[in-house]
Amino acid sequence: MSGENTVLKENVFINKEEKKSFESRQDNNSKHNDHKGHPNKDEREIKILAKNVTRTFTVKNRGQKGVKEFVAIKDINLEIRAGEFITLVGPSGCGKSTFLDILSGLSKPTSGELYIDGKLVTGPALDRGIVLQGYALFPWRNVRKNIEYGLELKKIPKKQRREISQEFIDLVGLTGFEDRYIHELSGGMRQRVAIARALAYNPEVLLMDEPFAAVDAQTRETMQEELLRIWEKTNKTIVFITHSIEEAVFLADRVAVLSANPGSIKEIINVDLPRPRKLGDVRNSPDFNWLSHKVWELLHNVENKNETNVINESRNIAEEISPTVDL
């Protein structure tokens, strides 16, 4: 994770045989069932469809008169299935947040189209919930009133609002803190409020832009596992932006790796790890480490040659994976 030290067992290595076996298991599982025995996610309906989405901005031409066009993202094509958890990773400035802004309806593409449930996205709507890094909570409202905000917009009666807000207060582990104000909460608790608020009005899609980047490492790990628990219970479609390779792999069904500016999808990696997941168990597995290294290679533009794509048997895997820590 970003800014954290990755601790891996010294005897965990990935050689050519392990790599080949892992890739074979990925191919076989992707053709049949998931780890819960359910039909593969490819058989679910398409929830989000991005078709050649491009966004350009007009900026000042530094050192010269006039303006020029800056291409933030270019020709983003992506299909996301209902109930899928997909993470987006890429270099800073590659347009991840720009894409999420378009998906939320807060911005419009310069060209291309984006659909949710077959309907063209033309602006914000209550079928999407948004959780940001900065919480974006109302300091003059207590926990319950913050969570009920979206319900108020939907004109839900007061009694029903209270019942729904209590359900999500319990879901995110804030029982007993209903009447606390935002300044009385820790960073992790504030993010729980933001998640509960986004879920309370029952959106189809949850959009998350580096929601755990501002909390400490221990809280971040706890929040990651809590988010997976909530996702497995609510079955929401989640699009999650992060700079942390470990976080991206741990959470996702698939990781979409974006190229540097202008941002476009470089490759999508299937994360075929068993669920439910516990970070302490998953982090040290060869499969997790191989996937993390694969993402790292893509982000660092390492060519996928026979020898460069395999971790040397004589080296500790921590030496190979550790560069991902600062991304």
Side-chain angles (χ1 to χ4, degrees):
M1 267 146 280
S2 180
E4 301 172 30
N5 290 323
T6 304
V7 181
L8 300 171
K9 294 180 180 178
E10 292 184 359
N11 62 347
V12 178
F13 299 97
I14 294 179
N15 54 36
K16 294 180 181 179
E17 288 72 24
E18 288 174 328
K19 175 178 178 287
K20 183 177 180 180
S21 174
F22 174 70
E23 290 176 325
S24 177
R25 293 198 304 276
Q26 276 204 312
D27 291 340
N28 290 335
N29 285 328
S30 64
K31 292 176 182 177
H32 300 290
N33 298 315
D34 62 22
H35 284 283
K36 295 182 180 179
H38 297 156
N40 187 273
K41 287 181 284 295
D42 290 343
E43 298 178 10
R44 301 179 189 177
E45 65 180 6
I46 295 175
K47 174 64 71 172
I48 300 170
L49 175 63
K51 299 175 64 176
N52 300 316
V53 174
T54 297
R55 183 71 168 98
T56 61
F57 296 91
T58 301
V59 298
K60 290 184 178 181
N61 198 351
R62 181 180 296 180
Q64 302 178 24
K65 293 182 179 180
V67 296
K68 63 179 180 179
E69 284 193 342
F70 171 78
V71 182
I73 56 175
K74 183 177 181 181
D75 294 331
I76 297 287
N77 289 283
L78 183 63
E79 292 182 358
I80 302 175
R81 302 280 172 172
E84 184 176 12
F85 198 132
I86 187 166
T87 55
L88 306 181
V89 296
S92 294
C94 73
K96 301 183 295 296
S97 295
T98 298
F99 177 71
L100 211 69
D101 285 345
I102 295 172
L103 184 52
S104 70
L106 297 173
S107 179
K108 293 184 179 180
T110 305
S111 62
E113 298 171 327
L114 203 151
Y115 298 86
I116 295 180
D117 288 327
K119 298 178 182 179
L120 183 66
V121 173
T122 58
L126 292 176
D127 62 348
R128 281 149 279 162
I130 306 174
V131 180
L132 303 172
Q133 178 178 340
Y135 314 125
L137 300 172
F138 302 125
W140 59 88
R141 286 178 170 238
N142 61 22
V143 167
R144 184 183 300 281
K145 291 298 182 180
N146 265 283
I147 293 172
E148 291 181 357
Y149 179 70
L151 301 173
E152 293 174 12
L153 295 179
K154 295 182 75 172
K155 307 298 183 183
I156 303 297
K158 185 175 181 179
K159 182 180 179 181
Q160 191 177 352
R161 289 204 307 265
R162 187 175 183 87
E163 292 173 353
I164 295 172
S165 64
Q166 190 60 52
E167 175 187 350
F168 285 94
I169 286 169
D170 295 342
L171 180 66
V172 300
L174 287 175
T175 307
F177 292 88
E178 294 88 342
D179 298 323
R180 298 287 185 91
Y181 285 87
I182 304 308
H183 71 275
E184 300 177 290
L185 304 177
S186 67
M189 295 173 75
R190 293 177 188 182
Q191 202 57 279
R192 289 171 188 260
V193 177
I195 293 171
R197 181 180 62 181
L199 291 172
Y201 59 86
N202 197 28
E204 293 288 326
V205 176
L206 187 60
L207 309 175
M208 310 187 79
D209 193 352
E210 297 194 70
F212 308 143
V215 299
D216 63 88
Q218 185 175 356
T219 301
R220 185 170 187 163
E221 293 182 3
T222 300
M223 292 301 298
Q224 289 168 2
E225 293 186 349
E226 281 293 295
L227 178 60
L228 286 185
R229 180 184 62 82
I230 293 168
W231 169 69
E232 288 165 359
K233 186 170 183 178
T234 61
N235 199 36
K236 300 295 181 186
T237 304
I238 297 182
V239 183
F240 188 105
I241 288 178
T242 179
H243 277 94
S244 168
I245 293 176
E246 278 197 357
E247 184 170 68
V249 173
F250 174 65
L251 293 174
D253 293 318
R254 292 187 298 158
V255 178
V257 182
L258 274 67
S259 62
N261 179 263
S264 59
I265 294 180
K266 193 170 188 179
E267 188 170 331
I268 297 178
I269 299 174
N270 291 323
V271 181
D272 199 29
L273 299 172
R275 294 189 186 274
R277 297 174 187 167
K278 291 291 184 181
L279 186 57
D281 299 330
V282 172
R283 177 188 280 164
N284 293 329
S285 71
D287 290 355
F288 176 81
N289 291 321
W290 187 88
L291 286 165
S292 298
H293 189 69
K294 174 69 173 179
V295 176
W296 181 86
E297 284 184 330
L298 289 167
L299 289 172
H300 286 77
N301 298 314
V302 176
E303 293 185 15
N304 189 16
K305 296 181 179 179
N306 292 335
E307 297 303 321
T308 59
N309 199 36
V310 180
I311 298 176
N312 192 304
E313 296 180 35
S314 65
R315 294 184 63 184
N316 189 312
I317 193 169
E319 298 176 18
E320 299 286 349
I321 303 298
S322 59
T324 68
V325 170
D326 295 327
L327 290 176

